[in-house]
Amino acid sequence: MRLTFWGAARQVTGSMHMLELAGGTRILIDCGLDYENRKEFENKNANFPFQASEIDLLIITHAHIDHTGNVPNLIKQGFAGEILCTGATLELSDFLLHDSLNIQRMEMQKKRKQSSRKKGKVKFGNIPQPLYAKKHIVDMIQMARTLEIGENYKFNDEVMVSFHTSGHILGAVSARLEVKEEGKTKVIGFTGDLGNYRSKLVPDPIPMKGLQYLISESTYGGRKHITDSRLAEEFILEEVLDACVKRGGKVVIPAFSVGRTQAIIFTLHQLYREGKLPNIKIFTDSPLAIKSTKVYQYNMQYLNEEAKQFQSKYGSLFDFPLLHVIEDERQSEILSVLPEPCVIISAAGMVEGGRIQMHVRNNVGHDENTILIAGFCAEGTLGDRLLSGQDFVEIDHRKRPVRAVIKRTDVFSAHPDHPQLLDYFDRSNDGQLKKLFLVHGDATQMDTLAADVKGCEVVTPNKGQWFDLD
Ligand SMILES: [Zn+2]
């Protein structure tokens, strides 16, 4: 059996790993978009380093675009095998992939405009097209077979697949494969993305058992979450009281539409039910977040005990009188200049594009406001520039003074940190683990993590590198 790393190898995005079995079965685990470098987007994603039609089974661990974003393109290029994922992953993927296609179209339009300005220099044929069409997303949804956590699925005489709780976001799983080859059974585990321990809404990741090989994410390898003895609800309450009540300002929270937004709304709802939240309006302003919030609400089986108990007591995870949902852009513009104290939760998480950019632009210059960065921001993003402590930031080609309080927290992080990853590896090794492959992480940090792992060989493969698993 051969394992080849075709993506997320010594980088974070573009998850795609291939297993080729002795009997000829080819399995792909995730098929995500590589968006590490915007300029290289088409080169990295348009073509596959293998024949799409030769893949028999595609396993999708969760709905994030860096794990699913190239599936419609795989179908466009001839993949006609089976797709396996959880029901929640399928629901979330449907609209996340449509959103990803819209973003691609907007980028292409921008490029077309730029090229028409430089008439004669760029031929129309050189302008890249979106990677796929709507039809391919529809095909994907129709081709998928849902498998739930704890079920075993016998794909053929060689392979048995089961899904295990990985936390992270709704419906996310780790995939455990039992492969029969030459009379021997080999067990390989793919973590997918793991969740932070004690997360809001989603359960803790549960390590897979009996593994000989483990392929694990390492996003927060080499890093520790900002230590904060306060619980998420204590932290968020303090920030709201400080900005909205003491200073009469706003708390602006950039948050990813899937996962982070729901965790924050749920936390505010908990505070409201406990009678702790002051009487201020909470706005959620992201069309994608509205859709994902519904999927969270109607897929309770994937959520943790705290969420289930809250639901049975109050009848809803997210609905409470202080919460206002912003639907259209006009409402969003009005909100961004609203004078009263309030909380605004909007996408995208790293403050790159999306409606959040407008909210930050209109609120960053006032010292009564707080901008609360609730997660990792890649270098160079507006979120990162805000955190760097500069007196001015450039937003929409204009320098703006930074007078608002800028804060960062990891209480809502969707990934385990360095010590949690080491603990997970320890608990995944019941004495049979031969090799641990680290993927989905920054190259240097991955090496730091690899050096701390005990009890098995650790590899941090390069893109295209393959290993025979015996
Ligand atoms: Zn993810």
Side-chain angles (χ1 to χ4, degrees):
M1 172 173 38
R2 179 166 287 185
L3 171 64
T4 312
F5 295 89
W6 286 124
R10 297 186 70 80
Q11 66 171 42
V12 175
T13 67
S15 281
M16 186 163 66
H17 317 301
M18 186 157 76
L19 269 181
E20 293 166 275
L21 313 189
T25 305
R26 284 195 173 89
I27 304 168
L28 206 59
I29 293 88
D30 286 332
C31 184
L33 283 183
D34 181 335
Y35 43 83
E36 218 81 356
N37 180 345
R38 289 250 165 238
K39 284 184 189 149
E40 290 282 301
F41 182 81
E42 285 79 24
N43 283 347
K44 293 259 175 84
N45 296 294
N47 297 305
F48 294 95
F50 47 80
Q51 285 292 331
S53 57
E54 289 179 356
I55 305 293
D56 303 290
L57 171 66
L58 165 66
I59 295 169
I60 303 174
T61 59
H62 67 288
H64 278 150
I65 288 299
D66 62 324
H67 293 257
T68 62
N70 223 3
V71 176
N73 185 23
L74 190 77
I75 293 168
K76 181 182 156 189
Q77 301 206 22
F79 167 68
E82 254 181 53
I83 301 175
L84 217 52
C85 63
T86 63
T89 295
L90 193 61
E91 274 190 61
L92 291 171
S93 297
D94 191 0
F95 58 77
L96 283 174
L97 286 168
H98 279 96
D99 181 67
S100 174
L101 178 59
N102 280 341
I103 293 170
Q104 288 177 47
R105 283 183 177 150
M106 283 191 296
E107 300 258 320
M108 304 302 152
Q109 264 170 10
K110 232 195 267 172
K111 282 185 184 162
R112 263 184 217 126
K113 269 189 198 156
Q114 282 164 358
S115 73
S116 64
R117 268 188 232 124
K118 305 183 212 163
K119 250 187 180 170
K121 285 189 182 168
V122 180
K123 287 181 192 155
F124 183 79
N126 290 344
I127 299 166
Q129 301 296 311
L131 296 168
Y132 52 86
K134 269 190 180 182
K135 168 193 181 312
H136 304 111
I137 306 174
V138 176
D139 288 349
M140 173 194 160
I141 304 301
Q142 281 170 354
M143 286 161 76
R145 168 194 286 268
T146 57
L147 179 72
E148 295 311 327
I149 292 165
E151 283 178 11
N152 286 316
Y153 174 62
K154 191 178 172 193
F155 176 66
N156 60 21
D157 288 341
E158 282 183 296
V159 192
M160 175 90 88
V161 183
S162 59
F163 283 167
H164 302 260
T165 301
S166 75
H168 190 54
I169 61 165
L170 187 86
V173 290
S174 301
R176 181 181 182 275
L177 279 74
E178 267 183 43
V179 177
K180 281 196 189 117
E181 269 187 342
E182 291 141 6
K184 279 202 284 185
T185 301
K186 297 164 192 172
V187 187
I188 308 114
F190 293 83
T191 62
D193 282 3
L194 297 167
N196 190 7
Y197 287 59
R198 293 172 294 281
S199 282
K200 283 287 163 195
L201 298 172
V202 288
D204 287 351
I206 301 174
M208 295 166 277
K209 294 290 163 203
L211 301 179
Q212 280 135 29
Y213 300 95
L214 175 63
I215 295 85
S216 176
E217 70 117 313
S218 56
T219 320
Y220 261 81
R223 279 187 297 224
K224 276 178 88 174
H225 288 144
I226 300 169
T227 45
D228 196 320
S229 54
R230 291 172 295 176
L231 298 169
E233 47 269 44
E234 292 167 340
F235 174 82
I236 205 119
L237 179 62
E238 260 179 54
E239 295 307 324
V240 170
L241 290 176
D242 186 47
C244 302
V245 178
K246 224 162 113 189
R247 288 184 272 134
K250 296 178 197 167
V251 180
V252 178
I253 313 177
F256 295 110
S257 309
V258 184
R260 193 74 43 86
T261 296
Q262 290 73 31
I264 295 168
I265 298 175
F266 177 63
T267 308
L268 288 162
H269 189 185
Q270 285 180 307
L271 288 166
Y272 171 79
R273 294 292 175 189
E274 288 163 15
K276 292 177 179 166
L277 204 60
N279 190 22
I280 48 144
K281 290 181 181 141
I282 316 285
F283 294 96
T284 169
D285 182 18
S286 152
L288 213 52
I290 298 170
K291 289 182 189 166
S292 359
T293 303
K294 282 187 189 141
V295 182
Y296 267 73
Q297 181 66 67
Y298 295 114
N299 283 280
M300 291 297 304
Q301 71 274 27
Y302 298 101
L303 299 183
N304 63 22
E305 274 313 304
E306 180 189 41
K308 284 177 185 164
Q309 281 176 18
F310 189 90
Q311 168 71 23
S312 66
K313 198 165 174 192
Y314 299 109
S316 169
L317 295 173
F318 308 109
D319 279 347
F320 60 109
L322 300 182
L323 182 71
H324 300 261
V325 176
I326 299 292
E327 305 265 357
D328 59 48
E329 270 184 62
R330 180 85 195 103
Q331 284 179 310
S332 179
E333 281 161 18
I334 296 168
L335 168 64
S336 80
V337 290
L338 195 76
E340 65 184 91
C342 62
V343 177
I344 300 173
I345 307 154
S346 182
M350 299 188 196
V351 209
E352 279 297 286
R355 294 182 184 176
I356 187 65
Q357 196 150 315
M358 176 180 61
H359 296 303
V360 168
R361 185 185 67 209
N362 290 340
N363 290 293
V364 72
H366 305 279
D367 57 9
E368 67 272 27
N369 300 329
T370 293
I371 295 172
L372 184 60
I373 310 277
F376 173 73
C377 289
E379 222 181 287
T381 55
L382 179 52
D384 177 57
R385 285 183 281 133
L386 285 167
L387 286 168
S388 69
Q390 295 166 13
D391 292 336
F392 289 87
V393 281
E394 195 179 302
I395 308 175
D396 299 337
H397 312 292
R398 249 187 70 190
K399 269 192 165 186
R400 323 233 168 205
V402 180
R403 298 204 182 96
V405 176
I406 313 289
K407 286 225 171 149
R408 202 196 137 199
T409 177
D410 279 329
V411 291
F412 294 105
S413 174
H415 289 276
D417 66 359
H418 187 93
Q420 289 177 344
L421 280 166
L422 291 175
D423 173 67
Y424 179 90
F425 300 151
D426 238 21
R427 293 194 292 133
S428 303
N429 188 355
D430 35 25
Q432 300 161 63
L433 192 65
K434 293 185 190 172
K435 227 175 242 182
L436 166 67
F437 297 93
L438 296 180
V439 293
H440 201 290
D442 170 85
T444 324
Q445 308 288 8
M446 211 178 251
D447 293 336
T448 311
L449 178 65
D452 282 355
V453 177
K454 306 234 162 14
C456 68
E457 189 190 337
V458 188
V459 186
T460 59
N462 290 305
K463 187 171 178 176
Q465 203 172 349
W466 51 263
F467 298 81
D468 285 325
L469 309 183
D470 44 45

